[in-house]
Amino acid sequence: PVLRLYEGPAAGSEAWTHKEKERYDEVWQTRIIYNVVDPTLTVFLPDPAVANGTAMVVCPGGGFHALSIDREGFDVAHWLTTHGVACFVLKYRLVECHTDDPVGELAGKSMEQMKVDCEPIIRLAMADGMATVRHIREHAAEYNIQPDRVGLIGFSAGGTVAVSVVLQAEPEARPDFVAPIYLQYEWVIRGKVPSNAPPMFILAATNDELGLAPHSVDLYRDWTAAGGPAELHLYAKGGHGFGMGTQGLPSDRWIERFGEWMDAQDFLTPGMRQSPKS
């Protein structure tokens, strides 16, 4: 099922009139969604026989101009549901694109222009992330999940959203664990690391074409300096935006490492979670 995140127009974008669109992009070699105005959740529930009570919000990336909805969204959800995790793929609000080539528009902008265009949208996307966590907790019984086992994984721009949510949210909207994957850290809406910071799984590739590998290192440093538990993985190769794609590289199996980490944190074990592990 696909659920609207808000009953009426989303606060902050009530005047938007552009329409959401979808296409296959040859550059990114995946299906993309763009011009998102009305945020939605696509729900993937595991077989009750393997459900473990954990939920995951999945935030695809795309530079806040598009969403890599399959490789960084639905494909991630399919893997996690086979391991008992209920997944909610979030289509968060994006920068308005004026052509049917959002990837081309994004590539044609300077970093300065991108920052101007994306900065107000990041706050809206963060609000969508917070609203999603609240929704899952409020409807935990319906989804057969535990309200203290709600995670958030985000890719690239989605990683920016994920970390912004953790740093800015009130406890009821803060995830219990978070996984920023090749995030853009400089655009995160900063705040104090919570005193009871949730465990964090950070992953990227050293040869990231956008030069974002150091962002993951900086996040790891800041998180652990504040006493937050974290695990950092940096592959030698993989580039940017690999998601669930196949390149014939060790990075193809990154999600298995993530699954191992989740298991070590007791998030793949059915029942109530015990004390967090470092």
Side-chain angles (χ1 to χ4, degrees):
V2 178
L3 309 176
R4 294 185 66 212
L5 188 55
Y6 306 106
E7 290 186 4
S13 57
E14 297 92 339
W16 290 8
T17 59
H18 46 282
K19 303 297 182 182
E20 179 179 316
K21 296 183 179 181
E22 173 186 319
R23 62 167 288 181
Y24 183 88
D25 186 78
E26 295 292 345
V27 176
W28 287 359
Q29 297 184 345
T30 188
R31 186 168 61 103
I32 61 172
I33 305 291
Y34 57 106
N35 281 352
V36 175
V37 175
D38 187 15
T40 62
L41 303 176
T42 304
V43 183
F44 296 79
L45 298 180
D47 185 323
V50 299
N52 52 36
T54 295
M56 183 76 76
V57 181
V58 183
C59 294
F64 294 102
H65 285 62
L67 298 176
S68 179
I69 197 68
D70 290 324
R71 197 159 57 192
E72 297 176 350
F74 294 170
D75 294 347
V76 177
H78 286 306
W79 192 94
L80 288 168
T81 53
T82 64
H83 291 76
V85 179
C87 290
F88 303 79
V89 179
L90 171 62
K91 289 196 297 187
Y92 52 87
R93 284 171 283 180
L94 300 172
V95 171
E96 179 183 1
C97 292
H98 300 283
T99 71
D100 287 327
D101 182 15
V103 175
E105 286 191 40
L106 177 62
K109 294 182 179 182
S110 66
M111 285 301 296
E112 292 77 13
Q113 186 60 52
M114 280 185 59
K115 186 174 182 180
V116 169
D117 292 346
C118 293
E119 194 166 15
I121 305 302
I122 295 171
R123 289 196 172 274
L124 299 180
M126 177 183 71
D128 298 341
M130 293 178 182
T132 300
V133 174
R134 287 194 191 95
H135 168 83
I136 294 170
R137 290 206 172 113
E138 290 170 359
H139 298 270
E142 299 171 34
Y143 295 126
N144 191 30
I145 63 101
Q146 298 289 344
D148 61 348
R149 293 165 65 102
V150 180
L152 178 53
I153 185 170
F155 300 80
S156 192
T160 302
V161 173
V163 177
S164 297
V165 168
V166 173
L167 293 178
Q168 294 291 326
E170 296 298 322
E172 66 272 11
R174 184 183 303 137
D176 300 294
F177 62 102
V178 62
I181 310 298
Y182 42 79
L183 90 158
Q184 164 43 287
Y185 187 37
E186 291 178 353
W187 290 0
V188 164
I189 301 173
R190 301 301 176 93
K192 185 178 180 181
V193 176
S195 57
N196 57 339
M200 179 177 285
F201 177 92
I202 309 168
L203 182 140
T206 302
N207 70 337
D208 186 306
E209 300 95 332
L210 303 184
L212 297 184
H215 291 221
S216 292
V217 176
D218 291 345
L219 172 59
Y220 174 82
R221 179 200 62 214
D222 293 347
W223 200 256
T224 55
E231 182 165 310
L232 172 64
H233 293 254
L234 278 176
Y235 286 102
K237 296 180 180 180
H240 185 82
F242 48 86
M244 296 294 285
T246 301
Q247 303 181 87
L249 296 170
S251 57
D252 294 352
R253 297 179 293 280
W254 71 269
I255 200 164
E256 296 174 16
R257 308 290 80 76
F258 179 51
E260 292 165 354
W261 178 84
M262 286 184 65
D263 193 29
Q265 301 291 324
D266 291 335
F267 286 119
L268 294 185
T269 304
M272 296 297 291
R273 181 171 178 255
Q274 303 302 313
S275 59
K277 301 176 182 179
S278 60

